[in-house]
Amino acid sequence: MYLQFRDEVAAALTSALDALDLPTDDLGIEDPPEGVDAVLAASAAFRLAGEVGAPPPQVAGRIADEIDAAEYDLVEAATAQGPYVNFRASDAYYEGTVEAAQSETFGRLDPTGESAVVEHTSANPTGPVHVGRARNPIVGDAVARVLDFAGYDVDRHYYVNDAGRQMAVFTWAYETFDEDDLPDPEREKADYDLVRYYRKGNEVLEDGDPDEVEAAEEEITAIMQGLEAGDEETYDRVGEVVDTVLGGMRESLGRLPAEFDEFVKETRFIRDGSVDDVVDRLQDLDEAVYEDEAWQLDLAAYDIEKNFVFLRSDGTTLYATRDLAHHEWKFQNYDRAVTVLGEDHKLQADQMRATLDLLDNDTDQLRQVIYSYVNLPEGKMSTRAGTGIDLDDLLDEAVDRAREEVEDRLDDRIRDDDLTDDDVERIAEQVGIGAVRYDIVSKQPAKAITFEWDRALDFEAQSAPYVQYVHARCCGILEEAGLDSADTDGALAGVDASVLDAEAERELLEVVARFPAVIEAAAEDLEPHVVATYTREIADTFNTFYRECPVLRDDVDDDLRDARLALVAAAKHAVGNALGVLGVAAPRSM
């Protein structure tokens, strides 16, 4: 109902300003100041004061006087308070919110008719996913979920680097070294198995015998040139390594979960001629120069100081060159293209956008989400030498810690009667991995994160377990009332919600009602962290309602009981769907 209420407020303001012969281009609709009894406020009086020649409070009063709330279904009153016009909601707003939120799909917006591709993670398939890079799949998957919930037709892509030097090194190493010369793998998993060859290869290239290194470099160059030339045997050799490592990486990413609709290999654009076409067009640009034995673009006109290198002297292209062809393919097949990148790719992102513009692409289709990295308290980490912590390690630790926390919170009676070992394991998995994911996605992407266990797994603080517990509590109330908490779609529709007039009830309804607008804003700005902020707000508001408004107590009459149960179901849907948008499990019990 919030979106409809906002539309009515906009219509009321527009009508009032038209009557006063004032411009309507900026209505200034916003959340009211804290402590104000209103759902929305308008600050247009600030903008119009100079034009009217009167102080903002006086202008706000004139606007409010022109609004007849009786003309609108959801607006109860429009009143001036200082420089603001405040809009209170009618009973129909609150009753409509209860009714709308009985749907399990509450918050999902109507289809936009637009398609979007979200490319994220795209880590080079050279070994296990490292925890320092874990923010990419978590943020990327959440962005895709937000867009999907906002009505876009979304595809999730992983762009695979299978043509660069790293994969040539990996292929050479895999074909050169015997397993007997390698340490045991850290896990029985494909990516951990093969990464040993890659690390061994880098050791040899850095510190090996000069003759051995020279021979290796010749083979590595031959592999790269074979890929560029379209040699099928070379494709097969590299593909064996790439696909095997990707298989292991996908298992790890699936635990988050982060799933993909397609793994798009860069060799695809070499083989179909797209890369050659891009190179030809780049060389024809006035900005193209040949310097330092490479073709480059001078992007000074875009305030980019470093040239964009797109072709080596030996005729081989670079990852960024192939990514240009990849982006043009996205533009041809999708209305919006979103790419999630680490902060160390900021220059590359700027060069990519500028070059795509020079190639006459509509770069308004492109949105780039830049994020900073995740650190653990001991500092930044690197995987190239086999140091640091892998994503699997982090998730295992999260589940172990969550299991301990759950066990500590269970007394013997609850443990024996209500929760089996399987239940405890399920909750530990949902809470532990949810804690990691929530802690990372809840921060603004540009801000660096130092992940801390005590904060992430704090059931009392504003963490994933805190929000998850609210969902479980809603389910518990519904189950106690004889309802199936796994299927409450419409089960409490048609109740008399007019009896929900207590302050705590109205505040919870107002927060529930805002959920679709939160999805709308998160999708517009590609900021899933605003959904996390919303989950904390609704969790706090629900807990206040829970303390002050008993649902199933004997002295609560039937009409109020049913209405409060409907409000609990509404809150469950809002919390559960918000967690789902973040990729965090919403447990029915904890």
Side-chain angles (χ1 to χ4, degrees):
M1 299 302 287
Y2 182 92
L3 296 178
Q4 295 93 314
F5 182 81
R6 189 182 64 190
D7 289 343
E8 288 195 5
V9 167
L13 285 168
T14 300
S15 178
L17 293 176
D18 281 341
L20 295 169
D21 197 26
L22 293 173
T24 60
D25 55 314
D26 183 4
L27 301 176
I29 298 174
E30 58 189 58
D31 292 332
E34 189 173 352
V36 173
D37 180 21
V39 173
L40 285 173
S43 60
F46 284 110
R47 174 179 60 86
L48 298 170
E51 185 164 340
V52 174
Q58 186 176 337
V59 177
R62 293 182 188 178
I63 296 172
D65 289 342
E66 287 291 334
I67 295 174
D68 182 3
E71 295 181 7
Y72 304 94
D73 294 331
L74 305 180
V75 177
E76 179 180 85
T79 57
Q81 183 176 354
Y84 293 94
V85 180
N86 297 321
F87 292 84
R88 292 202 308 275
S90 67
D91 289 342
Y93 175 78
Y94 296 100
E95 294 163 21
T97 295
V98 173
E99 190 71 17
Q102 294 311 299
S103 170
E104 294 278 3
T105 61
F106 176 64
R108 181 175 286 278
L109 305 184
D110 293 335
T112 64
E114 294 187 30
S115 61
V117 57
V118 179
E119 180 208 330
H120 66 83
T121 308
S122 300
N124 292 336
T126 53
V129 182
H130 187 255
V131 75
R133 298 278 179 176
R135 199 170 190 179
N136 196 313
I138 290 174
V139 171
D141 186 68
V143 166
R145 288 168 181 264
V146 164
L147 288 172
D148 174 74
F149 218 69
Y152 290 87
D153 182 9
V154 179
D155 279 348
R156 300 154 173 85
H157 285 186
Y158 188 121
Y159 185 51
V160 182
N161 175 1
D162 66 333
R165 175 179 166 81
Q166 284 182 305
M167 296 319 303
V169 169
F170 205 153
T171 303
W172 157 76
Y174 180 65
E175 296 174 346
T176 299
F177 301 109
D178 293 326
E179 185 170 5
D180 293 341
D181 298 328
L182 306 173
D184 292 334
E186 296 171 13
R187 287 175 185 257
E188 293 300 321
K189 199 158 160 281
D191 44 346
Y192 290 85
D193 181 23
L194 262 68
V195 74
R196 299 175 299 157
Y197 294 90
Y198 182 65
R199 290 170 179 164
K200 177 70 173 180
N202 277 299
E203 289 174 7
V204 169
L205 292 174
E206 290 177 1
D207 303 315
D209 177 80
D211 291 338
E212 183 182 11
V213 172
E214 182 179 356
E217 288 291 356
E218 289 179 0
E219 178 59 22
I220 291 165
T221 298
I223 292 171
M224 293 172 64
Q225 290 177 335
L227 292 172
E228 295 278 349
D231 179 67
E232 290 294 336
E233 182 183 354
T234 306
Y235 282 133
D236 291 342
R237 292 165 60 196
V238 175
E240 180 183 356
V241 173
V242 169
D243 292 342
T244 302
V245 175
L246 270 180
M249 295 173 73
R250 290 175 69 175
E251 288 182 41
S252 303
L253 293 168
R255 296 181 66 188
L256 284 172
E259 298 178 350
F260 299 89
D261 297 298
E262 188 173 353
F263 284 76
V264 181
K265 293 184 176 180
E266 60 179 343
T267 50
R268 166 180 183 167
F269 304 104
I270 296 174
R271 301 175 82 167
D272 70 7
S274 299
V275 174
D276 288 339
D277 176 66
V278 165
V279 169
D280 290 343
R281 289 154 59 208
L282 290 174
Q283 289 178 318
D284 287 341
L285 293 173
D286 293 339
E287 291 80 3
V289 295
Y290 187 82
E291 296 178 355
D292 300 325
E293 299 186 356
W295 278 97
Q296 311 178 28
L297 287 185
D298 182 345
L299 300 176
Y302 291 87
D303 295 324
I304 299 174
E305 295 182 3
K306 188 172 182 179
N307 283 2
F308 175 76
V309 180
F310 63 88
L311 188 68
R312 300 184 184 93
S313 59
D314 63 4
T316 57
T317 56
L318 291 85
Y319 176 89
T321 321
R322 301 184 288 273
D323 203 16
L324 285 169
H326 174 218
H327 273 74
E328 291 194 326
W329 172 80
K330 291 183 191 178
F331 293 163
Q332 293 167 6
N333 289 279
Y334 297 92
D335 298 308
R336 300 181 68 180
V338 179
T339 309
V340 181
L341 298 165
E343 60 187 358
D344 57 338
H345 289 80
K346 179 65 167 63
L347 173 61
Q348 175 189 324
D350 291 342
Q351 290 176 325
M352 178 67 58
R353 180 179 292 277
T355 304
L356 287 167
D357 183 64
L358 286 172
L359 292 174
D360 294 326
N361 291 281
D362 179 9
T363 54
D364 287 342
Q365 290 179 261
L366 177 62
R367 297 283 298 277
Q368 295 159 323
V369 179
I370 307 293
Y371 66 91
S372 185
Y373 290 118
V374 177
N375 302 314
L376 293 183
E378 57 265 33
K380 293 184 177 180
M381 299 155 287
S382 167
T383 54
R384 190 161 185 271
T387 61
I389 298 177
D390 296 317
L391 177 62
D392 289 310
D393 299 326
L394 182 71
L395 297 182
D396 286 348
E397 180 76 5
V399 174
D400 289 344
R401 287 175 178 259
R403 187 185 301 110
E404 291 176 8
E405 185 70 27
V406 171
E407 292 279 10
D408 287 345
R409 288 172 172 271
L410 296 176
D411 60 36
D412 292 337
R413 182 187 60 79
I414 295 175
R415 181 71 175 83
D416 293 339
D417 296 344
D418 295 335
L419 292 180
T420 65
D421 289 339
D422 287 344
D423 290 330
V424 172
E425 196 59 34
R426 169 185 56 80
I427 294 170
E429 191 84 12
Q430 291 175 327
V431 171
I433 293 178
V436 170
R437 181 158 182 148
Y438 187 93
D439 193 69
I440 290 174
V441 79
S442 65
K443 310 298 191 302
Q444 293 185 21
K447 292 185 177 180
I449 294 177
T450 297
F451 183 85
E452 296 176 358
W453 289 112
D454 291 343
R455 180 191 64 218
L457 284 167
D458 190 340
F459 278 65
E460 310 302 328
Q462 292 186 324
S463 60
Y466 175 75
V467 178
Q468 288 173 311
Y469 193 76
V470 166
H471 184 269
R473 174 167 278 168
C474 289
C475 291
I477 294 170
L478 295 168
E479 295 280 357
E480 189 177 347
L483 297 168
D484 180 3
S485 64
D487 182 15
T488 53
D489 196 342
L492 291 158
V495 301
D496 180 10
S498 66
V499 297
L500 298 173
D501 55 8
E503 182 179 357
E505 294 165 337
R506 288 294 172 101
E507 287 181 354
L508 180 55
L509 278 167
E510 288 173 6
V511 177
V512 168
R514 284 201 355 261
F515 180 45
V518 171
I519 293 296
E520 180 186 68
E524 176 64 29
D525 297 328
L526 300 179
E527 293 184 339
H529 70 272
V530 305
V531 181
T533 301
Y534 171 80
T535 64
R536 294 193 292 270
E537 182 182 358
I538 194 172
D540 286 342
T541 310
F542 180 86
N543 285 335
T544 299
F545 160 80
Y546 181 77
R547 289 192 303 268
E548 298 182 7
C549 301
V551 179
L552 302 177
R553 205 166 64 190
D554 290 341
D555 60 350
V556 178
D557 68 54
D558 289 347
D559 286 345
L560 183 56
R561 172 187 179 276
D562 289 347
R564 285 180 175 171
L565 276 173
L567 179 51
V568 170
K572 179 191 86 92
H573 295 153
V575 171
N577 289 343
L579 286 173
V581 165
L582 298 174
V584 175
R588 293 170 57 193
S589 61
M590 281 179 67

